[in-house]
Amino acid sequence: MALDKQNEGKILPMDENKENTTEDGIGLEILQIIKDSQQQHGLRHGDYQRYRGYCSRRLRRLRKTLGFKCGNRHKFTGKKVTVEMLSDNRYADNRYLLLVLMEAERAWSYAMQLKQEANTEPRKRFHLLSRLRKAAKHGERLEKLCESPRVDAKTKLEAQAYTSYLSGMVRFELQEWKAAMEAFNKCKTIYEKLASAFTEELAVLYHQRVEEISPNIRYCAYNIGDQNAMNELMQMRLSAGGGGGMMAEKLEALITQTRAKQAATMSEVEWRGRTVPVKIDKARIFLLGLGDNEAAIAQAANEETKERLYETLLAECRDTIQAVREELKTEAKQRERSDEASGKVTNLQFLHSYLTYIKLWTVVKRNESMAHMLQAKLKEPQTDENKRGPRPQDLIRLYDIILQSLAELSTLQGLEEDHTFQKEVALKMLVYKAYRCFFIAQSYVLVKKWSEALVLYERVLKYAKEVQSKAKTLNNSLKDLPDVQELITEVNAEKYSLQAAAILDTEDAPEAPSQQKVKDNTPLCERLETFHLDPTLVGKQPNLVQFPPDFQPIPCKPLFFDLALNHVAFPPLDDKVEQKGKGGLTGYIKGIFGFGS
């Protein structure tokens, strides 16, 4: 980060920064500079505040290098770049154009930062509009400066496109759809012309800009009255692929805004023979877009796109369920106040059950899609031995999640007495149990546990035949489920190949010599000279050394005892020891006054 701030937007000396000042005039790669700066300084992660700080620092460096400061520390003196300045040879430098461009980018990035914050603080929308207007004003100044005869034609066109984009953004936020659409179309036309006139490398950059503008044009067309625009937005969402980023976020926001307008006409939903009124706006928007989301998933071009769409649908569903739960809490408090005690499931509770059903069934379909993808990879030959490929255990985990979701489905509130629904859920559980059991058997085959695998294959056939017998009583119960007959055919084939592999494995196992199979509990370190076939050496507790080791006798350090001391007679010392006499009270008094000394 320190190096990033040291090198960002480094200003070169006057003679070295004129690579765009050619014989044709002053030139500035406006779109290239914008895109590079945005990607390197925060917008790759949607951090507009960081990008705004970068624009401010670069403006300060530009003014300092060009000697174009606005006064001093004591007084502000405004300075503006004019067309007359660019006509003067002393100011024939593209950095003066860059100065105005950075001012526009700073105002635009501040507006986008406020747009993110306005989701929770609506008052900031007024400041957002002010900043956008400021950015558009700087863009108009840049376009006017580029009208100078010293500026080349390409820079003039890019300045016009940039100004049209900023003007369109202002109109878009003000919901002036017709004016916004005209501005965006003008911007799109200029970039398309530029893409056709230059090399492929530059054309890619211009085409990316056109793709960013297209969702806004479609949304404006929808608001003007074009009913096909919503379908075009959905197609653009699909074509965005599995990647995220600003493009995908913009499409999601535009589609949500479109659904919010359509949701005003939706008042109720019917499920399991019961009509439920929908009064929560978030639930209306979600249920209105449910069909479009399912259609988009069905039309997804690849598994990555499908996975992203599933995750988006689940995220929206969770948010909607949370909103319904908040309403349920409010309803429960109102019941407590009015002392109502009814065992009947309310409309709001039934709506909660319906949304939970959608969430759980989406989880089932997503995991089933992932299982199909893994199953296809499992059948492919492994090319890279160092790379870990899919295993049956991965599929077992997916089917465990599916069965858990189906178990939750059977406990939904309001559906306990719906016997048809309970039978359908039980039938679905049998189907996925059969598939789970099949892949458990496959995992046993890999470790050559033939008998266990054979028993599990028989269990799969039992589940499959039970499904076929129960499905006759339930109409259309298997239309959304995997084909059970295909599973039966595959299991029968696997059974025959398993029996053949078991026979070959028994015949191919070499019979080891009897002297090598002698069971010996001696540790390996003590019988290195003799070979024994000991299967425990590759097990979890190989007998390598004896631990803890046995105790061994070792010589101790000798202890010396002085026994002669007890037999030594020492000479008497009575004459040398001072004898203390017993003086009594008289001696005590003498001792106090010093008479005895």
Side-chain angles (χ1 to χ4, degrees):
M1 191 68 180
L3 290 173
D4 182 40
K5 288 191 176 181
Q6 288 174 10
N7 297 324
E8 63 181 16
K10 187 176 286 184
I11 305 300
L12 300 175
M14 186 74 74
D15 296 334
E16 297 181 23
N17 197 49
K18 291 187 180 179
E19 66 275 9
N20 289 329
T21 306
T22 61
E23 295 179 357
D24 298 332
I26 300 173
L28 187 69
E29 301 282 350
I30 294 176
L31 187 59
Q32 183 73 50
I33 290 171
I34 289 170
K35 285 297 178 186
D36 289 346
S37 300
Q38 289 177 355
Q39 289 297 311
Q40 293 172 13
H41 301 285
L43 261 63
R44 186 178 297 177
H45 313 291
D47 191 350
Y48 292 98
Q49 185 175 6
R50 178 185 163 195
Y51 181 57
R52 179 165 68 97
Y54 160 75
C55 292
S56 299
R57 292 191 298 273
R58 190 166 187 184
L59 272 171
R60 192 181 305 117
R61 287 193 300 272
L62 278 167
R63 290 187 181 279
K64 184 177 180 181
T65 307
L66 294 170
F68 201 72
K69 295 183 179 180
C70 294
N72 52 37
R73 67 177 64 183
H74 303 294
K75 184 180 179 181
F76 173 79
T77 306
K79 284 186 179 181
K80 291 185 179 181
V81 183
T82 60
V83 179
E84 290 76 16
M85 287 177 57
L86 294 178
S87 302
D88 193 341
N89 289 330
R90 292 176 299 171
Y91 301 103
D93 193 336
N94 61 357
R95 287 180 291 181
Y96 287 100
L97 297 177
L98 185 60
L99 199 67
V100 183
L101 178 63
M102 284 294 109
E103 287 178 340
E105 281 294 288
R106 179 174 64 177
W108 173 82
S109 59
Y110 195 9
M112 294 299 102
Q113 177 191 341
L114 291 167
K115 189 173 183 178
Q116 288 180 337
E117 297 171 359
N119 294 328
T120 54
E121 300 175 66
R123 289 288 302 172
K124 289 193 175 181
R125 180 168 174 77
F126 298 102
H127 196 183
L128 150 69
L129 291 171
S130 172
R131 290 293 92 194
L132 266 182
R133 289 192 186 99
K134 190 76 171 177
K137 187 177 178 181
H138 287 306
E140 290 170 2
R141 277 183 55 210
L142 178 63
E143 184 181 359
K144 190 175 181 181
L145 287 172
C146 290
E147 290 175 0
S148 170
R150 305 201 66 167
V151 178
D152 62 14
K154 180 186 174 186
T155 306
K156 289 180 180 179
L157 286 172
E158 285 204 25
Q160 290 176 13
Y162 182 65
T163 305
S164 299
Y165 174 75
L166 292 177
S167 176
M169 290 297 293
V170 175
R171 302 300 179 190
F172 190 88
E173 290 298 328
L174 291 171
Q175 297 184 3
E176 298 176 3
W177 308 117
K178 191 172 182 180
M181 188 174 177
E182 289 174 359
F184 285 135
N185 277 326
K186 181 182 177 182
C187 177
K188 180 182 177 183
T189 304
I190 293 172
Y191 281 130
E192 285 176 345
K193 294 293 183 183
L194 286 170
S196 61
F198 292 96
T199 60
E200 290 185 4
E201 294 180 0
L202 288 173
V204 169
L205 191 65
Y206 294 131
H207 284 308
Q208 286 178 353
R209 189 66 158 181
V210 170
E211 289 177 2
E212 290 176 12
I213 299 169
S214 296
N216 291 350
I217 296 174
R218 302 300 182 200
Y219 187 66
C220 291
Y222 170 77
N223 284 285
I224 291 171
D226 186 359
Q227 296 299 323
N228 296 324
M230 183 60 186
N231 296 330
E232 291 176 0
L233 280 174
M234 295 298 296
Q235 291 298 324
M236 292 173 69
R237 180 194 191 189
L238 280 175
S239 62
M246 294 175 62
M247 181 69 177
E249 290 176 6
K250 185 181 289 186
L251 282 169
E252 292 293 341
L254 291 175
I255 290 169
T256 304
Q257 289 175 20
T258 307
R259 286 175 184 161
K261 292 194 172 185
Q262 296 175 344
T265 60
M266 183 181 182
S267 59
E268 58 186 23
V269 66
E270 185 178 353
W271 182 59
R272 306 301 302 180
R274 179 172 174 175
T275 303
V276 181
V278 183
K279 299 178 181 178
I280 304 170
D281 291 337
K282 202 173 189 67
R284 286 179 180 176
I285 295 170
F286 172 73
L287 292 173
L288 192 66
L290 182 61
D292 293 334
N293 283 324
E294 290 176 348
I297 290 169
Q299 296 172 13
N302 51 52
E303 293 297 331
E304 189 177 358
T305 305
K306 188 180 287 189
E307 179 67 20
R308 182 179 63 83
L309 292 173
Y310 269 126
E311 290 300 329
T312 303
L313 178 59
L314 284 172
E316 292 177 2
C317 191
R318 291 189 195 101
D319 293 341
T320 308
I321 290 173
Q322 184 60 35
V324 175
R325 281 177 184 163
E326 296 297 329
E327 292 294 326
L328 280 172
K329 289 179 183 177
T330 308
E331 187 183 71
K333 289 179 181 178
Q334 291 176 353
R335 280 187 182 180
E336 289 177 0
R337 290 170 189 167
S338 59
D339 295 331
E340 291 183 10
S342 176
K344 186 179 178 182
V345 177
T346 63
N347 288 331
L348 201 57
Q349 289 172 338
F350 198 75
L351 178 62
H352 182 268
S353 297
Y354 177 45
L355 293 171
T356 308
Y357 168 81
I358 293 171
K359 185 192 78 170
L360 294 172
W361 187 240
T362 304
V363 170
V364 169
K365 300 305 291 182
R366 182 198 63 181
N367 287 338
E368 186 182 348
S369 174
M370 293 171 64
H372 284 314
M373 183 180 64
L374 284 175
Q375 194 172 355
K377 289 182 179 180
L378 199 63
K379 294 179 180 178
E380 294 176 359
Q382 192 72 19
T383 55
D384 190 0
E385 295 181 357
N386 297 325
K387 186 178 179 182
R388 179 190 176 276
R391 298 179 299 176
Q393 288 86 338
D394 302 330
L395 288 154
I396 295 168
R397 175 59 184 157
L398 289 175
Y399 282 109
D400 280 336
I401 297 172
I402 288 174
L403 289 171
Q404 183 179 354
S405 300
L406 289 173
E408 292 179 25
L409 277 178
S410 60
T411 60
L412 288 177
Q413 193 174 14
L415 298 173
E416 298 89 345
E417 303 299 326
D418 192 341
H419 300 295
T420 305
F421 178 78
Q422 297 294 338
K423 287 180 181 178
E424 288 176 359
V425 172
L427 186 65
K428 291 172 183 176
M429 290 185 72
L430 276 176
V431 173
Y432 291 114
K433 276 183 180 179
Y435 272 90
R436 176 178 175 274
C437 195
F438 173 76
F439 288 110
I440 293 175
Q442 292 275 18
S443 64
Y444 275 115
V445 169
L446 290 178
V447 294
K448 297 184 178 181
K449 293 187 176 181
W450 315 115
S451 57
E452 290 88 343
L454 188 60
V455 171
L456 287 168
Y457 280 141
E458 293 293 341
R459 179 67 63 85
V460 173
L461 292 175
K462 177 186 173 185
Y463 282 142
K465 290 174 182 177
E466 191 175 349
V467 167
Q468 287 180 333
S469 63
K470 288 185 177 181
K472 295 176 182 178
T473 59
L474 297 171
N475 297 326
N476 298 325
S477 297
L478 294 175
K479 65 177 183 178
D480 294 333
L481 298 176
D483 189 4
V484 182
Q485 186 59 43
E486 184 180 341
L487 180 63
I488 292 173
T489 306
E490 191 172 358
V491 168
N492 287 327
E494 289 290 336
K495 278 176 63 179
Y496 295 130
S497 61
L498 182 146
Q499 291 170 356
I503 294 169
L504 291 172
D505 186 59
T506 307
E507 292 178 354
D508 292 344
E511 190 171 342
S514 58
Q515 66 270 15
Q516 293 182 357
K517 288 187 177 181
V518 174
K519 189 173 182 181
D520 191 356
N521 293 328
T522 308
L524 180 64
C525 65
E526 297 180 8
R527 53 179 177 85
L528 295 175
E529 302 298 329
T530 308
F531 174 73
H532 292 306
L533 190 62
D534 191 356
T536 60
L537 292 178
V538 293
K540 292 184 178 179
Q541 294 180 345
N543 189 13
L544 303 177
V545 296
Q546 185 174 353
F547 188 83
D550 295 335
F551 289 104
Q552 295 181 0
I554 59 172
C556 297
K557 184 178 179 181
L559 298 177
F560 296 95
F561 299 97
D562 195 356
L563 303 177
L565 183 63
N566 298 330
H567 302 281
V568 173
F570 293 100
L573 300 175
D574 296 339
D575 55 338
K576 296 181 180 181
V577 177
E578 184 180 357
Q579 296 292 330
K580 292 183 180 182
K582 297 180 181 179
L585 183 60
T586 307
Y588 177 71
I589 293 171
K590 287 180 180 180
I592 292 173
F593 295 100
F595 295 135
S597 58

